[in-house]
Amino acid sequence: MSIIQQIRERAAWLVFGVIALSLIGFIFMDARTTRLFSGNKSSDVGSVNGKNIGIADFQRQITSAEEQAKMRGYPMNEAMQQNVKESVWRQMVEDALLTDDYAALGLDVSDKEVNDMLVGANAIPDVKRAFTDPKTGIFDNQAAAAQINQLRTLYKSGPKRSADNQRYEAARSFFEESVPQIIKMRLREKYMALMANSSYVPKWMIEKANADNSQIAKISYVNTPYFTVSDSAIKISDGEIQDYISKHQSLYKQEESRSIAYVTFDASASSKDSSRLKDQLSELAAQFAKADDPQAFLNRVGSQQPYFDGYIGKARIQVPNKDSIFALQKGQTYGPYLDAGSYTVAKLIDIKTLPDSVRARHILVATTNPQTGQPIMDDSTAKKKIDSIKTLLAKGESFDSVAAKLSDDPGSKEKGGDLGYFTADRMVKEFADFCFNGKKGEKGVVKSQFGYHYIEIMDQKDFEPSYKIAYLSRKIEPSPETDQAASGLASQFRAESTDAKAFDQNVEKSHLQKLLAPDITPAEYTIPGLGTKRELVKWIYGANLGEISDPYPVEDKYVVAIVTEINKEGTMSPAKARAQIEPILRNQKKAEQIAKKLGSPASLDAVASASGQQIQTADSLRFNSPYLPNGAGQEPKVIGTAFDKQLAGKPVSPAISGTSGVYFVRVDNVSALSNAEADIQQQRFMQEQQQRYGVQNRLIDALRKIATIKDNRGNFY
């Protein structure tokens, strides 16, 4: 990664100050006054076991999470915003679930512990990075404590001058938000460690498992498959479904949800739209070829692909028709040609023989905060500083030591300013121009948007033809006429569909495909098969059963939907659960019929004769594997029967209702394999480790299952 890119992502050297303001400090504050901070709650976005989650607090945490995502370079589009909301909600629910357990277990974090996390031997990684001397690798806890004292003073005094506002806000954010998060993090660590360390596997359990798993069995069996009884011969009533639900309620819980059926009307670009755009670019291609300033021309006429005023090596250019583009003379154009849903015209600006990659080192004197764009040093002061650095190096000072002491680039200063090898497009133009147009060993000062760089070109390799190419590119998009045609068809369909019956009739008459989107939750943003459309979800939750929507634009289509199902939170209705339960009950009834027909046979041969099925054998069955060989599949009841000591020596077992049919089994042999090398202690250790590793997810899942969680996010977003 280039240093310029690192500057963009890591906010350069100034971020160290921000880290200090936002991640550390607490020594001289009363912890109890900060850890319970929360904003005013005017309304609730949900609740956990009766404890409300306020919309103000929820939105504050969303804003904070979005800012962090932006700092890491993630695009804050609609999908990312939804991911952030989901993540924040999940975290707030988990925090609420765990808080009661913290209190019940008497868990707390003392001021001394927090101090140790900030300035002690066990300081959290972010703090250590901010206050560790890069030359010695030693954490300077006194510098951290001094910073905390300054923060305490700022926070208590409040913003007195406009110049202090930014630092005060950072201090306020730290004491009211970051410190409680640090405490919360420590509480969670303690809680999870306590739960993990409670894992225990007794010796007798390992010994029993070893004894069971050492057994090996051979059986003969007859399977009468369920498909030998017709499905149409078995009827399952709603009462039977309800009775099964009543006996297995925990398996058939449901969230609040709604289902829809819908039809779509294509509003994507037509062949006419594509041809029209191609013709437009064909007319512009001649003007593009004559334009002396390609960047100004592209800015004037508009291009999806911005102009890159630099050179890219031949091997690294991966565009359609590149050989035709390489064959152009300077100033000539090629196209329009198709490129990933766009029409493009390429213009060859220049050709040079340049290195494919360069290794350089630099020392940066920053003038601008790359995150905020705010100036942090005036230009004249920065110029004097870089000139002084140049003089020091000219007098023989070590580049490595000067970079470590004076460079404002945290990503390279610890490496003596060495950036390693990089390509031209990884750097800002001024930096790249110097490194790729210069020669190995050349040194000089370059000014970029980030400040002044003193650069030394250390190496250049893989010289090849490099091209400067301008691209006039436009995405193929639907014209207003295409969009209006699709919207008109959707509106006509809606006008003619006055109820569910008419909806289905019009689907058939218009030869449309009726699609289903089941179990849409109130806070959902994305509808399966459709994409992101929060407005449609809001309509679904404001509509009645059987109500039909007006056309909604969703991505490149118009959608008309009908509400087909409304499910309240709680236990599934028989109609909702039928698809899951009916096969189970049907097989149970089939098993009863098959078992009744075959009765109590005296031998396996009698079973085969009565059922018309063959006797099969299964050898080398193991107690810890539920599968029968030869593709028979998973049959745990049959495997269990193979190791049933009460069946030893008997000609045939009772009927067994298996996964795929009714089985009768004869146990031919059961023996045991020796396992003299089994290490009981090692096995106990490994199983306990496995339990510890999985305790967090299992614990949270268990707490969720027994909790009462209300999600009202759909009322706000």
Side-chain angles (χ1 to χ4, degrees):
M1 178 182 296
S2 72
I3 184 58
I4 304 305
Q5 214 166 12
Q6 289 176 357
I7 290 173
R8 290 193 185 105
E9 294 178 0
R10 298 176 60 182
W13 62 275
L14 187 61
V15 171
F16 282 134
V18 176
I19 289 173
L21 291 174
S22 61
L23 290 176
I24 70 166
F26 188 72
I27 290 179
F28 305 101
M29 289 291 295
D30 179 4
R32 302 300 185 268
T33 65
T34 60
R35 45 177 95 174
L36 298 180
F37 171 84
S38 63
N40 295 326
K41 300 177 182 178
S42 58
S43 52
D44 301 320
V45 76
S47 65
V48 179
N49 292 330
K51 293 184 178 179
N52 295 330
I53 298 176
I55 182 63
D57 192 24
F58 183 61
Q59 187 57 53
R60 178 180 58 79
Q61 293 200 34
I62 288 172
T63 301
S64 176
E66 287 179 346
E67 289 301 317
Q68 291 178 30
K70 289 177 185 176
M71 289 181 66
R72 294 184 177 97
Y74 293 107
M76 197 45 59
N77 52 31
E78 191 173 9
M80 179 59 71
Q81 288 175 330
Q82 171 62 5
N83 288 338
V84 167
K85 287 185 176 72
E86 286 296 325
S87 178
V88 169
W89 170 254
R90 185 168 56 252
Q91 187 61 52
M92 294 185 79
V93 169
E94 288 184 13
D95 290 343
L97 291 171
L98 295 173
T99 298
D100 288 341
D101 279 10
Y102 296 158
L105 293 169
L107 295 180
D108 197 8
V109 179
S110 67
D111 295 350
K112 183 178 180 181
E113 285 181 274
V114 177
N115 293 343
D116 187 53
M117 292 170 68
L118 297 174
V119 297
N122 299 311
I124 60 178
D126 288 312
V127 176
K128 280 194 172 181
R129 279 194 293 269
F131 290 95
T132 294
D133 188 325
K135 292 183 292 185
T136 65
I138 298 174
F139 172 53
D140 190 347
N141 62 337
Q142 292 184 352
Q147 179 69 68
I148 293 166
N149 270 326
Q150 293 178 22
L151 292 176
R152 178 183 62 85
T153 302
L154 265 173
Y155 182 61
K156 285 191 170 183
S157 63
K160 294 181 179 179
R161 305 187 310 273
S162 59
D164 289 333
N165 284 343
Q166 186 175 1
R167 295 190 68 220
Y168 168 77
E169 178 56 29
R172 183 210 62 76
S173 174
F174 161 70
F175 283 119
E176 296 180 355
E177 298 172 18
S178 297
V179 167
Q181 288 297 324
I182 292 172
I183 294 171
K184 189 186 297 181
M185 177 181 70
R186 181 59 180 151
L187 277 172
R188 190 184 182 101
E189 288 175 355
K190 285 186 173 185
Y191 179 76
M192 291 303 172
L194 181 63
M195 295 297 107
N197 289 331
S198 67
S199 299
Y200 176 72
V201 178
K203 180 181 178 183
W204 67 263
M205 184 180 292
I206 299 295
E207 293 173 338
K208 178 67 167 60
N210 285 345
D212 290 339
N213 295 336
S214 68
Q215 295 186 75
I216 187 169
K218 177 183 178 182
I219 64 171
S220 299
Y221 65 90
V222 174
N223 173 27
T224 305
Y226 292 132
F227 64 72
T228 59
V229 179
S230 172
D231 286 355
S232 61
I234 306 296
K235 304 298 181 184
I236 307 297
S237 68
D238 285 348
E240 289 173 308
I241 299 286
Q242 182 61 62
D243 183 59
Y244 189 88
I245 293 172
S246 299
K247 294 175 180 177
H248 306 84
Q249 288 191 29
S250 62
L251 299 177
Y252 299 99
K253 296 290 184 183
Q254 67 180 10
E255 298 178 284
E256 180 184 6
S257 68
R258 296 190 173 198
S259 301
I260 61 170
Y262 65 90
V263 292
T264 63
F265 298 85
D266 185 17
S268 60
S270 67
S271 58
K272 289 184 179 180
D273 297 330
S274 177
S275 297
R276 188 181 296 115
L277 176 61
K278 185 177 181 180
D279 291 342
Q280 290 173 358
L281 288 188
S282 295
E283 293 178 6
L284 287 172
Q287 301 176 37
F288 191 23
K290 296 177 181 178
D292 294 329
D293 186 340
Q295 184 168 9
F297 178 83
L298 294 177
N299 289 339
R300 178 171 61 82
V301 301
S303 176
Q304 181 184 348
Q305 186 168 342
Y307 178 62
F308 174 62
D309 189 17
Y311 294 81
I312 300 179
K314 181 177 182 179
R316 296 180 52 249
I317 296 177
Q318 299 297 326
V319 297
N321 307 294
K322 62 180 181 179
D323 290 337
S324 298
I325 297 172
F326 295 156
L328 294 173
Q329 298 296 315
K330 293 181 184 179
Q332 288 185 330
T333 61
Y334 177 82
Y337 60 88
L338 275 174
D339 185 0
S342 298
Y343 272 114
T344 301
V345 176
K347 179 178 180 179
L348 181 62
I349 306 300
D350 195 15
I351 308 173
K352 283 185 179 181
T353 299
L354 296 173
D356 174 72
S357 57
V358 171
R359 181 183 178 188
R361 57 182 178 178
H362 83 144
I363 297 170
L364 170 67
V365 176
T367 58
T368 302
N369 182 339
Q371 284 280 324
T372 64
Q374 297 298 314
I376 55 179
M377 183 182 294
D378 66 85
D379 188 87
S380 61
T381 302
K383 183 64 169 65
K384 290 177 182 177
K385 185 174 180 181
I386 200 71
D387 288 341
S388 298
I389 289 172
K390 181 179 179 180
T391 301
L392 282 173
L393 295 172
K395 291 180 179 180
E397 288 287 334
S398 165
F399 199 109
D400 289 1
S401 62
V402 174
K405 293 176 183 176
L406 300 177
S407 180
D408 292 332
D409 173 21
S412 70
K413 64 185 297 181
E414 296 177 13
K415 303 174 186 176
D418 192 349
L419 303 171
Y421 285 96
F422 51 85
T423 53
D425 58 334
R426 301 292 297 274
M427 296 295 182
V428 292
K429 175 175 168 49
E430 299 86 357
F431 200 103
D433 285 349
F434 180 88
C435 293
F436 284 81
N437 290 313
K439 296 181 179 180
K440 181 179 177 180
E442 189 172 342
K443 305 171 185 177
V445 174
V446 170
K447 183 182 179 183
S448 77
Q449 65 198 71
F450 302 108
Y452 286 91
H453 310 258
Y454 183 81
I455 307 171
E456 179 182 350
I457 303 172
M458 302 173 70
D459 192 21
Q460 297 172 325
K461 63 180 183 179
D462 299 332
F463 283 79
E464 64 174 349
S466 297
Y467 297 82
K468 180 185 288 190
I469 303 171
Y471 298 96
L472 169 57
S473 179
R474 289 183 183 173
K475 185 178 180 181
I476 303 172
E477 294 183 323
S479 63
E481 294 79 12
T482 298
D483 186 80
Q484 288 168 10
S487 175
L489 289 173
S491 297
Q492 181 180 350
F493 177 90
R494 170 62 184 92
E496 295 174 352
S497 300
T498 54
D499 54 28
K501 182 178 179 180
F503 185 96
D504 290 339
Q505 289 174 343
N506 287 323
V507 167
E508 185 174 354
K509 181 178 70 175
S510 301
H511 305 290
L512 298 170
Q513 184 179 10
K514 180 180 174 180
L515 301 169
L516 305 177
D519 303 329
I520 301 166
T521 57
E524 195 68 70
Y525 267 68
T526 301
I527 298 175
L530 274 180
T532 302
K533 195 63 180 178
R534 179 62 190 161
E535 290 79 6
L536 181 54
V537 177
K538 288 181 178 180
W539 175 85
I540 292 168
Y541 273 85
N544 298 316
L545 185 65
E547 190 170 341
I548 302 169
S549 75
D550 290 331
Y552 273 89
V554 181
E555 297 181 356
D556 60 352
K557 50 190 168 288
Y558 283 88
V559 176
V560 178
I562 179 172
V563 178
T564 57
E565 196 176 75
I566 296 178
N567 303 306
K568 295 183 179 180
E569 183 181 5
T571 306
M572 291 183 185
S573 66
K576 180 72 172 175
R578 177 173 283 274
Q580 299 178 49
I581 297 174
E582 188 173 35
I584 299 172
L585 296 182
R586 185 189 297 123
N587 283 348
Q588 287 181 0
K589 287 192 175 185
K590 287 183 177 183
E592 292 170 0
Q593 287 188 15
I594 294 170
K596 183 178 181 181
K597 175 184 175 181
L598 297 177
S600 301
S603 67
L604 206 57
D605 289 331
V607 177
S609 177
S611 65
Q613 305 296 320
Q614 293 182 344
I615 297 176
Q616 302 181 65
T617 59
D619 202 354
S620 302
L621 299 179
R622 304 298 291 264
F623 185 78
N624 60 353
S625 174
Y627 293 93
L628 279 177
N630 303 321
Q634 193 174 36
E635 292 290 356
K637 290 183 180 179
V638 176
I639 299 299
T641 300
F643 296 95
D644 186 348
K645 295 179 180 179
Q646 295 181 4
L647 294 177
K650 292 187 177 181
V652 67
S653 72
I656 303 166
S657 300
T659 303
S660 63
V662 176
Y663 288 80
F664 286 85
V665 174
R666 183 183 68 222
V667 180
D668 296 327
N669 183 52
V670 178
S671 58
L673 300 174
S674 62
N675 190 13
E677 297 182 359
D679 187 332
I680 303 297
Q681 288 302 114
Q682 180 65 16
Q683 287 178 302
R684 288 182 68 187
F685 173 78
M686 294 301 295
Q687 288 198 25
E688 287 176 356
Q689 285 295 103
Q690 290 176 0
Q691 289 182 9
R692 290 189 181 102
Y693 291 147
V695 70
Q696 178 167 327
N697 290 336
R698 293 199 303 270
L699 181 62
I700 296 297
D701 287 344
L703 291 175
R704 282 180 176 276
K705 286 179 181 178
I706 63 174
T708 301
I709 301 173
K710 300 292 185 183
D711 184 353
N712 302 326
R713 287 177 293 162
N715 298 335
F716 297 91
Y717 298 98

